[in-house]
Amino acid sequence: MDTTLTEEEAMIRQSARRFLEAECNTRLVREMEKDPKGYPPELWRKAAELGWQGLALPEAYGGSDMPLVYLGLVLEEVGRALAPLPLHSTVVAALTLAAEGTEAQRAAVLPRTAAGETVLTFACYEQDPRLTLSGVQARAVADGDSFVLNGIKRFVDNFAAADFCLVACRTADATPGSDGLSLLLVDTRSEGISDNPLVTLAKDRQSEVTFRNVRVPKTNLVGTLHQAAPAIERMLDRATALLCAQMLGAARKDMEMAVEWAKYRKAFGQPIGAFQSLQHMAADMLIWIDGGNLLTYEALWKMDQGLPAAVEVSQAKAFCNEKCEAVVRYGQIIHGGIGFMQEFDLQLWFRRVTSWTMRFGTAYEHRARIARALLDVPGRVVLGQPLPTAG
Amino acid sequence: MDFGFTPEQEALRRDVQAFIAENLTPEVLAEMDGLSEGFGVRPGRARGGHVEKLFAKIGARGWLGISYPKEYGGRDGDRISQYIVEEEFARADIAVGLGGSGGPAILAAGTEEQKRHFVPKLISGEYSFALGFTEPHAGADLASLQCRAVRDGDEYVINGQKMYTSAAHVATHMYLMARTNPNVPKHRGISIFLFPMDTPGVTVRPLWTIQNDPRAPIGTTYGTPRTNETFFDDVRIPASALLGRENEGWKVGAMGLNLDRVGAARYLISVRRDEDIVNFTKSTRFDGYSPAQDPAIRDKIAELWIEAQVCRLMTMRSMSIVEHGGNFTYEGSAEKVWAPEHGVRTTEAIAQMLGPYGQLLNGSPAAVERGVFAHNLMGSFQSGINHGSVQVMHDQVARRGLDMPRS
């Protein structure tokens, strides 16, 4: 048990911070809010030179085989800088391919991903705002050597920039012993796809994607036919925990800006940061971010060990959703009027963190999942020990 | 980062669990109930035959003072192992943890003679301290304390009054913070003294808390039925009772207090409550009503569980820092904000889940869990007051953690 960073962990974080401080200022962040693809290819290539896309991918496919905890540290810095990179969606899809894909699929996609030549994404959400697999209605029907995919996916990250999209779809009705879901690796340039960009709080690139009779080769089935629910859940858990890291990095930077402002801005003849009412707000911001960090890295660490981590992921996201939102709201309050002026940078952090609190499960959903694990399985619960499991 | 325990630590946990299952016989439990003082039963305080034997057995296993140096009665072990022992015994209402104002402070600042005299006996439970900090006119602003210690030859003469000396009626020794120089800035004229409670001139008077009538049942994790005020009238103690250097007591005291208010000691106050709320809810039905199926209660229970995890992880962080030989900058204070506030939210939420049952005290007909939830409700806010209030801790987080200016 040691919650402090190892030397190597501290180095990874430090080098990511230095790189983004040099390469990504808020002028770039603002530019990319208006860019159709939403990211600068040059920066994407430089990130690949640092090995970010392949950080947690197997060495055999050009990756570095590092733990998810390291990827979390990098995404924390990406969040801190609001770096407009499609890193989160790319690594989440790539990790799923690495874990569930065939040899041919991995060989075709992962080395190019690690080299920064490919952008990836994944599509689960449809109409249902919840992160639930019961919401998956898109249907793929076998026809010769392909599947024919029909359906509408929403809140798909970076679709315009992506070369491939992992699509969760229904290939059969659910029956006992079979969830009827499958995961397809879809070439985003396939015929029958239309991309309808959403206008979001974060001004990031999310899409509503319509698949109309899109033919996907059967060789692009990732994992087991009609049995993809566990693989999709693992993918969403990784996505959720890594987004927490990104959110926390951004929220911490927001707090630091608020504290700096409070030391600089004067009222009644002294810096407003000398007033205890503000100090106590700032102290809460720090405590909440630290709490979120501890929960998030415990979840990532458990995944790295191959331990069950669903409850830990939900703990982190439910907490981060509410506390990171409160942090950036406090950041705005401490800044007063200037904080919500368009030309003042603070709002860039506020809008993104706020948007991220709504992605990959609301606080209510995640708490419902925790409550199921705590209350619906017989046996005593013990803090710090694995929860009782069914059967 | 490493969020796991070593195989040796896991084995230690299983050993302690097996010991508890074997040794907490009905006779021991019955005796413990009569000895309850809040925070569970401690070694070195009023105890009967069965509990005394139990503590002797725990000591024989080498589970007390694992992380203390061998030469002073410890085992040169790691802090996490010590914590595991403390945690498992806390679940059984047995407090084996040693605070920071005591062993750690003496190891850090004491003379060789003091270390040899006190530390082994603190570990064995033969000695224990009452903490003499707060005064009638010095609480949050502790450094303004007035209790005087005047050097007279080879002795000091103590005069003054201490408030909320909770263990004074059972402790063997006083850990006293007193003023040795009134003519310098307040933090620079304070010293710490260690001396027996039965020194002539020491008078202990009980202060009964709201948890005394009826008496809080064992299993109450917050607060205590009794505290004390302690008076010092021309109490003469040898100069060797001074801990650390004269007038440098503030630093020694702050270090010890930091260890009192954070880490295992702080977290273990609430660990049982956090587990009980879940286990109680899932096993309880009132006629046809099952709280575990109530959507609002499910959401609240999950929220409190997440908060409890943050308490646990903040404790792990504090101990990680201690293990690395570091000092807290703000982390201890942060924990002393989060954990007490979580305790309050927990006990108040349980009250809203239980409705009218939540008001029933120990001994009442129809009381659930012997009224422990109602008694905790009277105690949980206390942990936001004692050992440095949540408000003072907020100040410290802002100033030490974020370098915010003083007003």
Side-chain angles (χ1 to χ4, degrees), chain A residues 1-4 9 263 274 276 279-280 282 284 290 298 301 367 374 376-377 379-383 385, chain B residues 1-4 13 91 267 275 279 282 298-299 302 312 317 320 324 330 394-395 402-403 405 407:
Chain A
M1 178 63 69
D2 185 356
T3 68
T4 62
E9 287 163 350
K263 290 177 190 170
Q276 285 181 315
Q279 291 190 352
H280 291 193
D284 279 334
D290 282 358
E298 184 175 52
W301 182 87
R367 288 201 291 260
L374 291 175
D376 299 345
V377 184
R380 279 187 70 79
V381 305
V382 178
L383 258 177
Q385 298 291 317
Chain B
M1 285 177 277
D2 179 349
F3 290 87
R13 186 187 292 280
R91 290 200 171 92
Y267 166 59
E275 293 169 3
N279 292 320
K282 73 197 283 188
R298 291 171 70 86
D299 188 68
R312 176 178 63 82
R317 175 170 73 171
S320 300
H324 282 280
Y330 69 94
H394 260 118
D395 290 351
L402 299 169
D403 197 27
S407 54

Side-chain angles (χ1 to χ4, degrees), chain A residues 304-317:
Chain A
D304 281 329
Q305 309 303 309
L307 297 168
V311 170
E312 283 75 10
V313 168
S314 285
Q315 288 170 180
K317 191 60 166 53

Side-chain angles (χ1 to χ4, degrees), chain A residues 125-163:
Chain A
Y125 279 110
E126 295 182 17
Q127 284 235 346
D128 194 323
R130 297 171 305 166
L131 193 67
T132 166
L133 297 186
S134 64
V136 175
Q137 304 291 327
R139 222 169 165 102
V141 178
D143 180 35
D145 55 5
S146 28
F147 291 101
V148 179
L149 175 63
N150 278 287
I152 300 172
K153 291 287 176 185
R154 285 190 173 147
F155 314 111
V156 183
D157 286 302
N158 309 308
F159 192 83
D163 303 284

Side-chain angles (χ1 to χ4, degrees), chain A residues 48 64 71 97 104 120 139 185 201 236 259 308 315 325 339 362 371 379 391:
Chain A
S64 310
L71 198 49
L97 266 185
L120 307 178
R139 222 169 165 102
L185 180 65
L201 204 52
L236 294 177
V259 168
Q315 288 170 180
E325 182 62 40
T362 61

Side-chain angles (χ1 to χ4, degrees), chain A residues 19-216:
Chain A
F19 170 72
L20 289 172
E21 276 170 0
E23 300 286 338
C24 176
N25 56 27
T26 51
R27 197 177 49 79
L28 179 70
V29 174
R30 287 171 183 271
E31 253 173 53
M32 287 301 127
E33 287 194 347
K34 298 187 186 327
D35 184 271
K37 283 201 166 181
Y39 79 102
E42 180 61 21
L43 190 60
W44 187 240
R45 273 194 296 277
K46 283 185 181 169
E49 282 164 25
L50 294 177
W52 287 3
Q53 289 91 326
L55 197 63
L57 293 179
E59 274 180 14
Y61 304 104
S64 310
D65 229 349
M66 294 292 182
L68 287 175
V69 162
Y70 286 31
L71 198 49
L73 291 166
V74 168
L75 280 163
E76 209 182 318
E77 293 306 314
V78 166
R80 179 184 180 86
L82 305 181
L85 292 170
L87 189 61
H88 179 266
S89 72
T90 296
V91 297
V92 168
L95 286 165
T96 300
L97 266 185
E100 325 280 349
T102 65
E103 176 56 38
Q105 289 164 354
R106 293 185 211 171
V109 179
L110 298 184
R112 294 189 55 216
T113 304
E117 294 161 9
T118 300
V119 171
L120 307 178
T121 190
F122 56 101
C124 290
Y125 279 110
E126 295 182 17
Q127 284 235 346
D128 194 323
R130 297 171 305 166
L131 193 67
T132 166
L133 297 186
S134 64
V136 175
Q137 304 291 327
R139 222 169 165 102
V141 178
D143 180 35
D145 55 5
S146 28
F147 291 101
V148 179
L149 175 63
N150 278 287
I152 300 172
K153 291 287 176 185
R154 285 190 173 147
F155 314 111
V156 183
D157 286 302
N158 309 308
F159 192 83
D163 303 284
F164 293 99
C165 178
L166 277 175
V167 179
C169 57
R170 184 157 289 290
T171 42
D173 290 332
T175 55
S178 166
D179 50 65
L181 297 175
S182 300
L183 204 49
L184 298 180
L185 180 65
V186 178
D187 186 329
T188 56
R189 284 148 305 186
S190 309
E191 236 175 276
I193 294 179
S194 58
D195 172 10
N196 198 12
L198 303 172
V199 182
T200 69
L201 204 52
K203 295 190 180 156
D204 56 2
R205 293 293 159 270
Q206 296 176 44
S207 293
E208 176 187 77
V209 183
T210 304
F211 300 88
R212 185 164 297 140
N213 295 325
V214 176
R215 294 197 82 86
V216 183

Side-chain angles (χ1 to χ4, degrees), chain B residues 214 286 356-372 374-375:
Chain B
F286 299 89
Y357 289 97
Q359 39 170 356
L360 300 180
L361 294 168
N362 194 12
S364 169
V368 288
E369 308 273 293
R370 303 179 66 201
V372 75
H375 283 276

Side-chain angles (χ1 to χ4, degrees), chain A residues 294-369:
Chain A
L294 288 162
L295 290 168
T296 297
Y297 284 102
E298 184 175 52
L300 289 168
W301 182 87
K302 287 208 162 180
M303 287 192 245
D304 281 329
Q305 309 303 309
L307 297 168
V311 170
E312 283 75 10
V313 168
S314 285
Q315 288 170 180
K317 191 60 166 53
F319 188 85
C320 287
N321 282 359
E322 293 184 340
K323 300 308 185 198
C324 289
E325 182 62 40
V327 166
V328 295
R329 171 165 37 86
Y330 276 18
Q332 293 293 326
I333 290 167
I334 289 170
H335 276 83
I338 192 79
F340 53 94
M341 295 305 106
Q342 199 166 45
E343 66 179 24
F344 197 81
D345 283 342
L346 186 76
Q347 51 95 0
L348 300 171
W349 276 266
F350 176 82
R351 285 191 287 105
R352 277 167 186 74
V353 171
T354 300
S355 165
W356 295 337
T357 67
M358 301 169 218
R359 308 293 312 281
F360 304 112
T362 61
Y364 301 121
E365 287 176 78
H366 284 294
R367 288 201 291 260
R369 181 155 81 149

